[in-house]
Amino acid sequence: QQQVKQSPQSLIVQKGGISIINCAYENTAFDYFPWYQQFPGKGPALLIAIRPDVSEKKEGRFTISFNKSAKQFSLHIMDSQPGDSATYFCAASKGTYKYIFGTGTRLKVLA
Amino acid sequence: GAGVSQSPSNKVTEKGKDVELRCDPISGHTALYWYRQSLGQGLEFLIYFQGNSAPDKSGLPSDRFSAERTGGSVSTLTIQRTQQEDSAVYLCASSSVGARGDTQYFGPGTRLTVL
């Protein structure tokens, strides 16, 4: 029940395309859902986050869609760029600092 | 300002040896976290420090793992009698207060290889 399942494991997208990464959870007590972006040799960095009281949050080209009833949330990267090539992690927490991370999606955007 | 720093960046050791990994959090951050990132896996929570409170050690995989935080700042993660399965990237993060939604800022990690 503590798991966060992330898919796909890897993703290749053409420049200008839409990248979509999905996460699913079981624990309905989770109340905070951040996405982290990690470049090779670097630590993860917070990209965008959402709480379950909204269904969508957009920041620039990055959008989180949240489906509370399905217990799923996804990251959409619009107009994907080669500079977006990185590993993306979703995470969830329930009222505390302790994040449960997904296994990551390696995104490659072709020029 | 300076971000979270970790040292060493890479550590190669022999099975059975002890290792110490260091983390310098962002100045003023009271919360500090250690995670382990194994190949093809997500980040696994290890331990959490918040101010002077007792640390949350619930993620430490065995009693060979320990961590301390001196003076509410620098932290050291110690792995005793290392095993090959300990090979991973060890990430440290800090946040201002350690509450839900409080952004965790990660260091670059220490890549540990146990031969």
Side-chain angles (χ1 to χ4, degrees):
Chain A
Q1 243 204 348
Q2 289 295 331
Q3 281 188 328
V4 175
K5 295 182 180 179
Q6 184 172 348
S7 63
Q9 189 173 17
S10 63
L11 181 61
I12 299 175
V13 174
Q14 294 287 339
K15 179 182 175 181
I18 302 173
S19 304
I20 302 174
I21 304 170
N22 301 298
C23 285
Y25 63 97
E26 295 183 0
N27 190 339
T28 56
F30 286 145
D31 59 4
Y32 182 69
F33 303 89
W35 283 90
Y36 277 79
Q37 179 187 54
Q38 184 178 29
F39 293 105
K42 305 289 187 182
L46 179 66
L47 186 62
I48 187 173
I50 197 168
R51 300 188 191 280
D53 53 345
V54 297
S55 59
E56 185 176 282
K57 182 173 182 180
K58 184 175 180 179
E59 290 185 2
R61 295 185 293 110
F62 300 91
T63 300
I64 299 179
S65 297
F66 186 82
N67 186 330
K68 190 173 182 178
S69 61
K71 291 183 285 187
Q72 294 176 349
F73 59 109
S74 59
L75 175 70
H76 291 64
I77 306 174
M78 312 300 288
D79 187 27
S80 299
Q81 299 297 311
D84 298 330
S85 297
T87 299
Y88 293 81
F89 293 94
C90 62
S93 71
K94 51 174 181 174
T96 72
Y97 51 85
K98 194 180 297 185
Y99 293 171
I100 308 297
F101 281 88
T103 52
T105 295
R106 184 172 293 183
L107 171 67
K108 183 176 178 65
V109 180
L110 302 177
Chain B
V4 177
S5 61
Q6 293 185 245
S7 60
S9 55
N10 281 284
K11 177 72 176 179
V12 180
T13 190
E14 293 180 348
K15 178 181 173 182
K17 300 281 190 181
D18 298 351
V19 296
E20 286 189 352
L21 312 179
R22 178 187 168 104
C23 172
D24 282 87
I26 293 173
S27 177
H29 279 189
T30 61
L32 186 146
Y33 317 74
W34 282 98
Y35 293 87
R36 180 168 68 176
Q37 185 175 24
S38 302
L39 189 63
Q41 301 296 314
L43 283 72
E44 175 190 8
F45 168 82
L46 297 178
I47 189 169
Y48 162 76
F49 295 91
Q50 169 58 297
N52 296 320
S53 302
D56 177 351
K57 304 178 182 181
S58 60
L60 294 179
S62 77
D63 58 7
R64 296 186 296 105
F65 288 72
S66 63
E68 63 177 19
R69 189 178 185 191
T70 53
S73 181
V74 172
S75 177
T76 302
L77 177 69
T78 301
I79 308 173
Q80 295 179 309
R81 306 181 302 282
T82 52
Q83 304 294 312
Q84 289 183 332
E85 60 262 29
D86 299 335
S87 296
V89 175
Y90 290 82
L91 291 161
C92 174
S94 71
S95 67
S96 57
V97 295
R100 182 196 65 180
D102 189 26
T103 300
Q104 296 184 23
Y105 296 88
F106 284 82
T110 293
R111 181 175 297 277
L112 175 66
T113 303
V114 182
L115 302 177

